Amino acid sequence: MNTACPPFMRKSQTAFIGLTRTQGGAYDGNAAPGAAPWATNLGVEWDMPGVAGLTLSGRVINTSSQYVDNANKLKIPNWTRVDIGARYATKVSATPVVFRAGIHNLFDKNYWEGVNSPGTITLGAPRTFMLSATIDF
């Protein structure tokens, strides 16, 4: 275990977005399409005691509802997604290697992820499994 770092780390981010004026004034006071008023990410990492190099991680992402159109008549609902993962740092024949595994959208929730442009929305990805290795040479 790395004693320079605590075995448990938290990462968080929150954003608030507001809009009150538009060009020409046609939509003054309306929310901008695709601009969720609130977006929050909370992540944690835990270095497993007794297993040098093993770190478990988790993340919760929450995005508030957002309007799809300039007139604020169409709205997609808020959503929350949970991701988990693990990484293992080791050496293979004296070469540093990091193995990673993760699951995005752990509970396989169906949701509208966001608005790309007025009138165009994106469906959130289903449960996704990922494996990777990074080799330093």
Side-chain angles (χ1 to χ4, degrees):
M1 182 168 72
N2 183 352
T3 56
C5 256
F8 181 74
M9 293 176 280
R10 294 165 293 189
K11 302 173 187 174
S12 66
Q13 175 181 346
T14 301
F16 172 76
I17 300 171
L19 176 70
T20 57
R21 296 180 55 147
T22 59
Q23 185 175 2
Y27 301 109
D28 281 2
N30 288 5
W38 288 100
T40 303
N41 296 312
L42 174 63
V44 295
E45 290 187 340
W46 183 44
D47 294 333
M48 288 287 293
V51 185
L54 180 62
T55 301
L56 303 179
S57 61
R59 177 174 64 173
V60 177
I61 302 169
N62 177 269
T63 301
S64 64
S65 61
Q66 19 185 326
Y67 286 101
V68 177
D69 62 332
N70 289 320
N72 288 179
K73 293 185 179 186
L74 299 172
K75 185 189 259 191
I76 60 174
N78 67 312
W79 56 271
T80 301
R81 187 183 85 199
V82 176
D83 304 333
I84 61 168
R87 73 175 176 269
Y88 181 64
T90 188
K91 289 188 178 185
V92 176
S93 298
T95 302
V97 179
V98 178
F99 298 98
R100 290 180 178 84
I103 304 172
H104 284 191
N105 196 3
L106 179 64
F107 301 113
D108 201 23
K109 184 176 179 178
N110 293 319
Y111 62 98
W112 295 110
E113 187 169 25
V115 178
N116 294 331
S117 60
T120 306
I121 55 178
T122 302
L123 183 64
R127 182 182 302 127
T128 305
F129 299 89
M130 296 174 294
L131 295 171
S132 70
T134 304
I135 303 167
D136 290 342
F137 55 92

